[in-house]
Amino acid sequence: MNPAGTSAWAPLAARVFRALWIAQLVSNTGTWMQTVGAQWLLVGHSAALVTLVQTASSLPVVLLALPSGVLADRYDRRKVLLAAQFAMLAVSAALTVLAFRGALAPGLLLCLTFLLGCGTALMGPAWQAIQPELVEREQLGQAAALGAVNMNLARAVGPALGGAVVAAAGAGWVFAFNTLSYLGIAAVLLLWHRPVTPRPAVPGEGLLAAVQAGRRYVRHAPGVRRVLLRTAVFIPGGAALWSLLPLVASRSLGLGPDGYGLLLGAVGIGAVGGAFALPVIRRALGANGTLAAGAAVFAVTLVVLATARSAWLAAAALLPAGLAWIGVLSTLNAAVQQRLPGWVRGRGLAIYLVVFQGGQALTAPVWGALADGLGLTLSLLTGAGLLAAGALSVRRWPLHSAEGLDPSPSDHWPVPPLLFEPAPADGPVLVSVTYRIAPEDWTAFTDRMRHVARSRHRTGALTWGLFQDGGDPDRFIENYVVASWAEHLAQHHSRLTANDRRYEEQARALLAAGTAPEVTHAFHATAGPVVAPGKRHAGRNRPAPPDVHGNA
């Protein structure tokens, strides 16, 4: 992820990345101050209610990340980010006013925290998707690490500052700072003259169809799926620390809000210090070794927190936890960034955020319930056991190598030679490709076509099959169906990548000497002929065809 000889801080040389990074640091500091204020207002209530602050912050990502990913892929990502910033500013302002008026009941606090989470959900996919526009692809690993450093540097400052402010002046002032913190990112975005890369939507494609296209891509991208698996394995145990640390501070260590802030600050300090060591660690251990080591360190931290009765010992254990957290998160984030093409990057990152944030949202109340029912010590030890099992599972389910991957666009298909012009909504469309393969290459060809099959599915195919002619065994026929002509043209001009081209070339390298693939495009004719004899047809006046599964 981080090639030797490349500085961990290299992305900061990019002017816009640097300005956004600084503005994000201020905003993240405000967010952590707000989190401490919200959690501490609820510490006197049940453990489950305290952990619901994390759920209220993370659950909107589960509900809204995919629609937000569609927005990030269809519209100017800069404008999407601006809308999110101003929406969160308005909600935070309301939270501030209510806190100063003493009208912030637990239910209302959680509702407003949920609305702030909705803003985060809207912002997340677009924010992640602009990173390849800000830095070189080779620096995505460092950029992801710097993003984690940013969050953890804010964690080092924000909670301690927030705890001190809550203890000295009340929660209203931390909410006020958080409100102002959104202005920095908004200012940088307003001044950023971003070149808008056209990402035309498929004509007639609705929100659900666009979401389904993103899901289909991820389902047929083994490398992305493996990143999601590693995220899903790590997050439940990792979430135990963030969910239960307020209770460790108040119940086990007898600390107030300022002491809780200092514990969170220890995690942040460890993460910031770890940024210097992380490039060396990655070169020594590799991406999978970093994941395994990070999970193991986090497990040891939870064991120490379960047994420690000294605030200094707990803080010392949280320092390496910060390094582990940044190591795991930056590794996973860079891995998913490197595998997603631009046309679906927002939706792919949204699915990653659903797994990451959703895992925290769903497990936080579970850890709270366990702490109430089984006790804090046993709950922390359970989390440690999950993390240890996750560390061992890296050998069985490692991240796939990203070497040689190139998700850049490749418009290499020729224009389909048709005798009429279909309308964008015409379909479904059956695409058939015929290959002639010598007998000694049959097995190798079918093996290579498995990669082609995934490519077709990722870019829009609803069904795919490879057939061998019973009367002419050297003849193989590839058939796949796309929903509409517009969907197929999107395959031609915006969805294929250099990786897809390589898979096609590897399969076609086995063509019999002197032959070339033969491609045909057929349109659904159950409702009547597509084109009348001797006439050209624009495709707009035919009756609606049955669906792609052949149902009327």
Side-chain angles (χ1 to χ4, degrees):
M1 298 289 179
N2 190 20
T6 301
S7 168
W9 309 97
L12 291 175
R15 181 177 58 85
V16 177
F17 181 89
R18 182 174 64 251
L20 283 173
W21 191 89
I22 294 170
Q24 186 191 26
L25 177 61
V26 176
S27 183
N28 283 339
T29 300
T31 298
W32 277 107
M33 292 175 67
Q34 190 269 342
T35 299
V36 169
Q39 287 183 322
W40 209 257
L41 285 176
L42 299 174
V43 160
H45 301 271
S46 68
L49 195 59
V50 174
T51 58
L52 281 178
V53 172
Q54 185 173 355
T55 300
S57 300
S58 302
L59 186 59
V61 176
V62 180
L63 303 176
L64 301 176
L66 278 170
S68 298
V70 173
L71 294 177
D73 284 333
R74 283 191 173 181
Y75 301 106
D76 184 348
R77 289 165 180 161
R78 172 180 162 274
K79 294 180 180 178
V80 173
L81 290 170
L82 280 169
Q85 290 300 305
F86 287 120
M88 289 189 288
L89 187 150
V91 174
S92 187
L95 189 62
T96 302
V97 171
L98 290 170
F100 278 126
R101 296 182 62 180
L104 203 54
L108 185 56
L109 172 60
L110 291 173
C111 287
L112 290 172
T113 302
F114 179 85
L115 290 177
L116 285 175
C118 291
T120 302
L122 176 61
M123 178 180 174
W127 183 270
Q128 296 284 351
I130 66 169
Q131 300 306 305
E133 302 176 34
L134 304 178
V135 301
E136 299 295 331
R137 184 172 184 270
E138 294 76 15
Q139 295 180 348
L140 283 175
Q142 297 98 298
L146 284 172
V149 166
N150 190 302
M151 175 61 75
N152 285 282
L153 185 58
R155 181 181 284 126
V157 176
L161 183 59
V165 172
V166 170
W173 287 104
V174 298
F175 299 150
F177 180 88
N178 188 43
T179 301
L180 296 175
S181 72
Y182 294 113
L183 295 175
I185 293 179
V188 176
L189 291 171
L190 286 169
L191 294 172
W192 178 28
H193 300 292
R194 174 180 181 260
V196 178
T197 303
R199 293 184 303 275
V202 175
E205 183 184 52
L207 176 64
L208 292 179
V211 168
Q212 182 58 29
R215 288 175 175 167
R216 183 172 58 238
Y217 184 93
V218 170
R219 186 166 65 248
H220 295 283
V224 177
R225 290 204 318 270
R226 184 55 57 86
V227 175
L228 299 180
L229 174 63
R230 296 300 341 154
T231 305
V233 169
F234 176 75
I235 286 301
L241 187 145
W242 310 118
S243 301
L244 300 176
L245 192 58
L247 304 176
V248 171
S250 61
R251 296 183 182 180
S252 299
L253 304 177
L255 300 176
D258 49 350
Y260 169 53
L262 289 173
L263 291 181
L264 284 175
V267 183
I269 292 171
V272 174
F276 294 93
L278 195 55
V280 177
I281 293 172
R282 279 195 179 133
R283 286 195 293 270
L285 301 180
N288 289 301
T290 301
L291 294 179
V297 170
F298 232 68
V300 171
T301 299
L302 290 185
V303 171
V304 173
L305 293 178
T307 56
R309 295 299 176 263
S310 163
W312 291 109
L313 178 59
L318 289 169
L319 289 170
L323 169 58
W325 184 257
I326 189 179
V328 172
L329 262 62
S330 62
T331 299
L332 294 172
N333 190 290
V336 73
Q337 288 270 13
Q338 290 176 331
R339 288 166 169 81
L340 290 170
W343 72 270
V344 75
R345 185 177 295 127
R347 282 164 282 185
L349 287 165
I351 293 173
Y352 166 72
L353 291 173
V354 166
V355 176
F356 176 71
Q357 297 277 20
Q360 295 185 76
L362 295 176
T363 56
V366 174
W367 292 121
L370 284 175
D372 280 337
L374 301 178
L376 188 55
T377 298
L378 187 56
S379 299
L380 289 165
L381 293 176
T382 301
L386 290 176
L387 287 163
L392 294 174
S393 73
V394 173
R395 180 179 292 273
R396 176 66 179 84
W397 297 298
L399 292 179
H400 297 163
S401 173
E403 185 177 356
L405 288 181
D406 184 0
S408 60
S410 178
D411 188 358
H412 61 275
W413 283 2
V415 176
L418 303 181
L419 297 179
F420 69 99
E421 183 181 354
D426 274 357
V429 180
L430 170 65
V431 182
S432 298
V433 187
T434 302
Y435 308 86
R436 297 203 71 82
I437 307 296
E440 62 271 18
D441 293 325
W442 288 353
T443 300
F445 176 73
T446 55
D447 286 342
R448 294 183 184 185
M449 287 298 288
R450 292 191 179 97
H451 291 290
V452 175
R454 294 192 187 103
S455 167
R456 306 295 196 232
H457 280 297
R458 284 195 297 267
T459 56
L462 301 174
T463 62
W464 183 92
L466 182 66
F467 304 87
Q468 188 172 18
D469 192 332
D472 183 3
D474 288 354
R475 182 171 176 265
F476 286 78
I477 305 99
E478 175 196 7
N479 288 333
Y480 64 93
V481 173
V482 292
S484 68
W485 184 242
E487 189 91 8
H488 184 55
L489 289 181
Q491 286 184 305
H492 269 262
H493 302 305
S494 61
R495 293 184 177 178
L496 290 171
T497 68
N499 293 325
D500 299 317
R501 181 172 188 167
R502 185 176 75 252
Y503 296 142
E504 291 176 10
E505 290 173 346
Q506 288 172 348
R508 295 183 181 195
L510 298 176
L511 284 165
T515 67
E518 299 177 5
V519 184
T520 62
H521 300 79
F523 294 78
H524 209 287
T526 302
V530 178
V531 56
K535 295 183 179 180
R536 299 177 69 85
H537 174 62
R540 289 180 172 82
N541 299 317
R542 288 191 296 127
D547 66 27
V548 295
H549 301 291
N551 302 315

